[in-house]
């Protein structure tokens, strides 16, 4: 089975721009979660989607949003980018029946200049 | 609210020596606990998990961890370190009784260096 894929792997944007990151979960997995990883704040939960519905959201401003499509692929969007949004964005997928087997993708490295 | 504390942001061991990475958690309910490993420029890989069954959990690559409720700890060990174990290790907790069971709260990570 193919693992979780994230595109693009690297991205450079300018302050004020917006960005969309994509995540394709493992085939058959319907839950997708997003995390932000920075040297200062560590790994922080952004949101979780299941069957196209956002189930949980972390403590991030409204500039961070996401969605999930009927094929379980997910996107996250960050509008009005700030320097502090520079981070590794990780996506994880899990099967419906499992509450704890989450499989992470390699991440998208976003740099905001 | 849940939290995880990893004692020691950097740990160095000699090849063949015991690896011990410390993790203490805070949770108002019986938690699920996890250890993940992250190699440079990669995502997180699940090493092992505790989900309220056996308190001694064995994972991949020879790692194991013991859940000690009285000490609120979930330390990660490996009897003999290998050079390939050099990576960053994260302890994480989730609340299986809530609607956000898949929401992981991570510790700040421990960078493991293995010396030849």
């Amino acid at each position: 089975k193919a693992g979780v894929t994230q595109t693009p792997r690297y991205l450079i944007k300018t302050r004020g721009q917006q960005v969309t990151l994509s995540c394709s979960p493992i085939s058959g997995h319907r839950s997708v979660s997003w995390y932000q990883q920075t040297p200062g704040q560590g790994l922080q939960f952004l949101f979780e989607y299941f069957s196209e519905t956002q189930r949980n959201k972390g403590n991030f401003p409204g500039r961070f949003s996401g969605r999930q499509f009927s094929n379980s692929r997910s996107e996250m969007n960050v509008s009005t980018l700030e320097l502090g949004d520079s981070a590794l964005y990780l996506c994880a997928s899990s099967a419906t029946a499992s509450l704890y087997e989450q499989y992470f993708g390699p991440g998208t490295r976003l740099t905001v200049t | 609210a849940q939290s995880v504390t990893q004692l020691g942001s950097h740990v160095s061991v000699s090849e063949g020596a015991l690896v011990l990475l410390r993790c203490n958690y805070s949770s108002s309910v019986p938690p699920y606990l996890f250890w993940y490993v992250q190699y440079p420029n990669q995502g997180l890989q699940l090493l092992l998990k505790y989900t309220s069954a056996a308190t001694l959990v064995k994972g991949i690559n020879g790692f194991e961890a013991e859940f000690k409720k009285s000490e609120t700890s979930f330390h990660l060990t490996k009897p003999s370190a290998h050079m390939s174990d050099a990576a960053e290790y994260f302890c994480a907790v989730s609340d299986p009784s809530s609607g956000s069971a898949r929401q992981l709260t991570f510790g700040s990570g421990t960078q493991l260096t293995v010396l030849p």
Side-chain angles (χ1 to χ4, degrees):
Chain A
K1 242 183 197 181
V4 177
T5 58
Q6 293 187 245
T7 57
R9 291 292 312 277
Y10 302 91
L11 204 50
I12 300 175
K13 289 287 188 178
T14 304
R15 267 182 305 175
Q17 289 185 314
Q18 75 166 17
V19 68
T20 299
L21 312 181
S22 179
C23 171
S24 292
I26 292 171
S27 177
H29 286 191
R30 293 168 64 188
S31 169
V32 173
S33 298
W34 289 88
Y35 291 83
Q36 181 196 62
Q37 184 177 24
T38 60
Q41 300 298 316
L43 281 153
Q44 295 184 287
F45 173 79
L46 278 158
F47 25 65
E48 180 201 354
Y49 285 87
F50 181 83
S51 292
E52 303 178 65
T53 302
Q54 186 181 89
R55 294 189 58 166
N56 294 294
K57 190 176 193 303
N59 188 25
F60 278 83
R63 300 185 297 105
F64 291 81
S65 62
R67 59 177 175 169
Q68 186 180 34
F69 302 94
S70 58
N71 62 357
S72 295
R73 189 176 71 84
S74 177
E75 290 181 346
M76 66 163 282
N77 183 276
V78 187
S79 62
T80 320
L81 284 166
E82 301 176 359
L83 294 179
D85 297 333
S86 294
L88 180 66
Y89 290 89
L90 293 164
C91 164
S93 76
S94 64
T96 305
S98 171
L99 291 177
Y100 38 78
E101 292 283 355
Q102 292 197 55
Y103 297 87
F104 282 80
T108 293
R109 172 76 62 185
L110 171 65
T111 302
V112 182
T113 62
Chain B
Q2 299 171 304
S3 66
V4 175
T5 301
Q6 290 184 240
L7 295 175
S9 58
H10 291 84
V11 170
S12 294
V13 299
S14 297
E15 189 174 20
L18 171 71
V19 175
L20 171 60
L21 304 182
R22 300 178 186 274
C23 171
N24 288 88
Y25 69 91
S26 172
S27 177
S28 57
V29 298
Y32 283 175
L33 293 159
F34 310 83
W35 275 99
Y36 284 87
V37 61
Q38 186 176 34
Y39 297 99
N41 299 315
Q42 294 188 27
L44 301 174
Q45 181 182 13
L46 179 65
L47 278 176
L48 48 78
K49 59 187 182 289
Y50 167 77
T51 57
S52 73
T55 57
L56 182 61
V57 180
K58 294 187 184 298
I60 62 172
N61 301 339
F63 285 94
E64 64 180 39
E66 185 172 7
F67 172 70
K68 291 187 176 180
K69 184 178 178 181
S70 61
E71 298 177 9
T72 60
S73 68
F74 190 58
H75 301 332
L76 181 72
T77 61
K78 182 175 180 177
S80 176
H82 192 273
M83 297 297 288
S84 61
D85 294 327
E88 190 155 23
Y89 292 79
F90 293 93
C91 182
V93 63
S94 74
D95 175 5
S97 65
S98 75
S100 57
R102 292 188 185 86
Q103 179 174 341
L104 298 173
T105 299
F106 285 90
S108 55
T110 297
Q111 182 68 47
L112 175 66
T113 300
V114 182
L115 306 170

